[in-house]
Amino acid sequence: MALYTIGDLHLSESSGKPMDVFGGVWQDYRRKIVEAFSQTLQEDDTVVLCGDLSWGLNLEQALADFKLVDSFPGKKILIKGNHDLWWQTVTKMNKFFENHQIKTLSFLHNNCIFYKDTALCGTRGWCYDPSDPAAGDEKVFKRELCRLEASLQAARQQSPQGEIFCFLHYPPILAGKDPYEVREITGLLRRYGVSRCYYGHLHGESLRGAFSGERDGVSYQVVSADYLRFRPVMIKP
């Protein structure tokens, strides 16, 4: 029994947008994902998927991707990524999964989920990305802050002194030549005593700016699929 995480699988079973076109580490990425998940995970494991699961534009178009992930061993917890355009209300998504007998996928959204005595919290997050209009919207930013705090509050209500891991899609900190920090987000992590934060979103050259290390008592780690060579990383036994 172990807890794993990875982000940005970018599956495309039926949407016609496979990542193989980018070449390099993405070449034959579907096979790498299938082999890594099947060989790494056991039925009693849990893996948190940090956004950008599927290129599907709606739930029906993403169904084949959901079924593929559902076929892997263990439980999978999903958060929203900026490319997850299929995302609906949790009620609608749970109903869709129920109708299609998808039994191992759940959502981290305005809530927390416990793995043993560790609270798993998270949301999509936000970053200053001018190429992503949704990410640059102030209303979206404030909504993400509310969702993150709701998740953290739920953890503290159930476990006032317990360990909290936070999972985001967007990086809350960047290093390199263009460093930045989303202080509203990192401030919440400190205030609620989060010990670790995992995030994705960064690929290729942008991974040069990834921050993996400790800042103000919080340990940050990038877990984009291409960075991990498509193999989920174990973060707690």
Side-chain angles (χ1 to χ4, degrees):
M1 184 175 186
L3 176 65
Y4 292 81
T5 189
I6 190 171
D8 306 89
L9 298 184
H10 287 292
L11 295 171
S12 184
E13 294 291 276
S14 59
S15 60
K17 293 184 66 174
M19 298 290 284
D20 304 78
V21 296
F22 293 102
V25 69
W26 287 101
Q27 189 66 40
D28 202 19
Y29 78 109
R30 183 192 185 279
R31 177 189 60 79
K32 295 174 184 177
I33 290 171
V34 171
E35 289 182 358
F37 274 70
S38 300
Q39 295 170 4
T40 302
L41 300 177
Q42 304 296 319
E43 289 298 337
D44 60 352
D45 291 336
T46 298
V47 56
V48 181
L49 303 176
C50 292
D52 284 2
L53 173 69
S54 168
W55 280 114
L57 298 179
N58 52 52
L59 289 170
E60 287 290 346
Q61 196 174 93
L63 178 58
D65 299 325
F66 299 144
K67 287 185 174 180
L68 177 62
V69 175
D70 189 49
S71 72
F72 298 147
K75 299 176 182 178
K76 302 91 185 179
I77 300 173
L78 280 57
I79 66 171
K80 185 180 181 180
N82 61 304
H83 290 301
D84 288 322
L85 302 181
W86 50 267
W87 193 279
Q88 300 290 322
T89 66
V90 171
T91 299
K92 289 181 179 179
M93 293 187 293
N94 281 333
K95 185 64 175 178
F96 182 83
F97 284 178
E98 180 182 349
N99 290 341
H100 292 278
Q101 288 80 53
I102 295 172
K103 300 180 179 180
T104 67
L105 276 61
S106 61
F107 299 98
L108 191 54
H109 191 70
N110 295 322
N111 63 332
C112 78
I113 297 172
F114 275 83
Y115 172 81
K116 297 182 180 179
D117 59 350
T118 299
L120 311 181
C121 297
T123 188
R124 184 184 65 169
W126 188 83
C127 73
Y128 300 98
D129 184 353
S131 67
D132 182 359
D137 189 290
E138 184 178 5
K139 291 182 179 179
V140 172
F141 179 39
K142 290 181 178 179
R143 189 160 60 237
E144 288 300 309
L145 290 177
C146 289
R147 286 173 175 157
L148 177 57
E149 187 157 24
S151 181
L152 296 170
Q153 285 177 342
R156 281 292 168 241
Q157 287 170 0
Q158 297 178 64
S159 180
Q161 303 299 324
E163 185 174 45
I164 299 177
F165 292 174
C166 181
F167 301 86
L168 302 170
H169 179 65
Y170 283 117
I173 298 178
L174 282 181
K177 65 178 182 179
D178 296 310
Y180 80 82
E181 178 176 348
V182 185
R183 297 188 182 277
E184 295 88 343
I185 289 179
T186 58
L188 283 174
L189 302 187
R190 293 193 299 271
R191 189 189 315 162
Y192 284 88
V194 172
S195 60
R196 303 187 204 172
C197 177
Y198 300 94
Y199 66 90
H201 186 65
L202 303 178
H203 306 294
E205 286 299 312
S206 66
L207 282 166
R208 295 179 181 272
F211 178 82
S212 290
E214 186 172 320
R215 177 79 62 87
D216 297 326
V218 183
S219 177
Y220 295 88
Q221 183 177 346
V222 60
V223 293
S224 303
D226 47 333
Y227 178 78
L228 297 179
R229 295 301 188 264
F230 306 99
R231 184 171 296 275
V233 60
M234 187 176 75
I235 57 177
K236 189 176 179 70

